[in-house]
């Protein structure tokens, strides 16, 4: 199972002062040295953390795989087509949200998603849709032409009671199975941390996870390289 690291929080810290440090481009290099399989960054409409300069430089420096997270707007599709990351993850975006709050409402967004997916794929970019773990969304992702889904694991991440954890995990497992059988790639992300990653790594159908907050938070105390290595070693205990 591949580990992709979301470096938005590094950029958030930089933007607090609107200066040059810390630089997410340097962070991406350290993540790769420590064993990350890919780098994720979310270019938001309001540029609150990652800015255009970062995406351009990351395209030139990332040696593993660059996953550009973005909303399916004309502006973002244009940027992605000129930068050509290996993949794009389409997410819903609300200005007021602290982080991506849920999966895409695929029915409501069909008129935006379908042309965006087509355009991105024409440009050789693989497309993943960030969705809730429900069967309708998996079917629709396939119908709209996505290459992959990213299952929103936020509810699992927040669950405290063991019953709820089991229920959420089961939903993720079933959706991963269903998507795999339909020929879709299966990623997962949001709210994953050092404690809850093992159960996710045990789901063989999940190809890749996208993790930001927990790794960057640990990095504040242990350093980024060590924080990434810790996550890699937990995953490698269950999956190669
Ligand atoms: N996947 C998606 C689509 C996201 O929007 C985010 C948050 O930016 C993540 C994964 C990573 O979530 P977290 O920061 O909780 O690890």
């Amino acid at each position: 199972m591949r580990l992709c690291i979301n470096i938005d929080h590094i950029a958030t810290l930089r933007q607090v002062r609107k200066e040059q440090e810390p630089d997410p481009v340097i962070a991406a290099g350290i993540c790769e040295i420590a064993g990350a399989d890919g780098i994720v960054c979310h270019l938001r409409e309001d540029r609150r953390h990652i800015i255009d300069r970062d995406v351009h430089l990351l395209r030139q420096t990332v040696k593993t795989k660059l996953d550009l997270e973005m909303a399916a707007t004309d502006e973002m599709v244009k940027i992605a087509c000129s930068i050509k990351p290996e993949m794009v993850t389409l997410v819903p975006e609300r200005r007021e949200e602290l982080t991506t709050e849920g999966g895409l409402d695929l029915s409501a967004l069909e008129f935006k998603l379908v042309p965006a997916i087509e355009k991105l794929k024409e440009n050789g970019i693989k497309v993943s849709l960030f969705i809730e773990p429900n069967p309708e969304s998996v079917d629709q992702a396939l119908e709209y032409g996505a290459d992959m889904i990213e299952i929103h694991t936020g509810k699992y991440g927040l669950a405290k009671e063991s019953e709820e954890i089991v229920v959420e995990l089961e939903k993720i497992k079933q959706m991963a199975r269903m998507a795999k059988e339909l020929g879709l790639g299966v990623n997962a992300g949001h709210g994953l941390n050092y404690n809850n990653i093992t159960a996710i790594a045990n789901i063989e159908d999940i190809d890749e996870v996208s993790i930001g907050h927990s790794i960057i938070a640990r990095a504040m105390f242990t350093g980024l390289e060590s924080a990434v290595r810790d996550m890699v070693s937990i995953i490698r205990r269950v999956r190669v």
Side-chain angles (χ1 to χ4, degrees), residues 6-211:
N6 181 312
I7 53 170
D8 294 350
H9 281 2
I10 305 282
T12 300
L13 186 54
R14 175 193 59 193
Q15 294 310 99
V16 169
R17 287 284 180 99
K18 298 254 184 312
E19 289 179 13
Q20 289 175 321
E21 290 175 330
D23 190 337
V25 178
I26 294 177
I30 294 170
C31 290
E32 289 187 312
I33 287 170
D37 300 295
I39 301 298
V40 189
C41 67
H42 184 174
L43 186 65
R44 283 181 171 267
E45 185 199 10
D46 62 8
R47 311 297 198 269
R48 74 164 83 142
H49 39 56
I50 294 291
I51 55 176
D52 299 63
R53 165 262 185 209
D54 302 332
V55 186
H56 281 97
L57 284 177
L58 286 166
R59 173 61 301 174
Q60 293 170 48
T61 57
V62 166
K63 293 169 199 66
T64 50
K65 170 173 93 159
L66 181 63
D67 174 6
L68 179 62
E69 217 183 286
M70 57 180 231
T73 61
D74 292 345
E75 184 202 10
M76 289 302 154
V77 171
K78 208 165 151 200
I79 292 172
C81 291
S82 79
I83 286 172
K84 296 199 191 326
E86 278 78 13
M87 67 180 274
V88 155
T89 299
L90 294 174
V91 296
E93 198 174 292
R94 285 200 313 118
R95 257 177 192 257
E96 321 78 72
E97 68 190 0
L98 292 177
T99 179
T100 315
E101 283 170 349
L104 290 159
D105 180 343
L106 295 177
S107 300
L109 290 170
E110 180 176 1
F111 73 104
K112 279 191 176 180
L113 290 171
V114 172
I117 294 169
E118 240 167 56
K119 186 96 191 139
L120 292 164
K121 286 175 69 174
E122 268 168 34
N123 279 271
I125 303 165
K126 294 247 179 281
V127 183
S128 175
L129 298 183
F130 186 51
I131 62 169
E132 293 298 323
N134 63 58
E136 299 76 36
S137 296
V138 177
D139 275 333
Q140 278 171 312
L142 181 75
E143 194 188 311
Y144 292 4
D147 300 291
M148 292 160 266
I149 54 162
E150 180 178 329
I151 301 175
H152 184 269
T153 51
K155 284 208 188 87
Y156 164 70
L158 286 175
K160 296 270 181 293
E161 305 300 325
S162 53
E163 271 171 37
E164 199 188 351
I165 295 173
V166 170
V167 169
E168 291 305 324
L169 209 49
E170 192 52 33
K171 274 196 231 164
I172 296 166
K173 206 181 278 182
Q174 301 276 346
M175 287 316 107
R177 185 85 290 259
M178 178 182 169
K180 253 297 141 68
E181 280 173 3
L182 292 171
L184 290 163
V186 182
N187 304 337
H190 219 282
L192 299 179
N193 60 39
Y194 296 86
N195 299 318
N196 64 23
I197 189 65
T198 302
I200 293 291
N202 268 311
I203 304 175
E204 293 277 338
D205 291 314
I206 296 180
D207 304 313
E208 182 173 301
V209 283
S210 168
I211 307 182

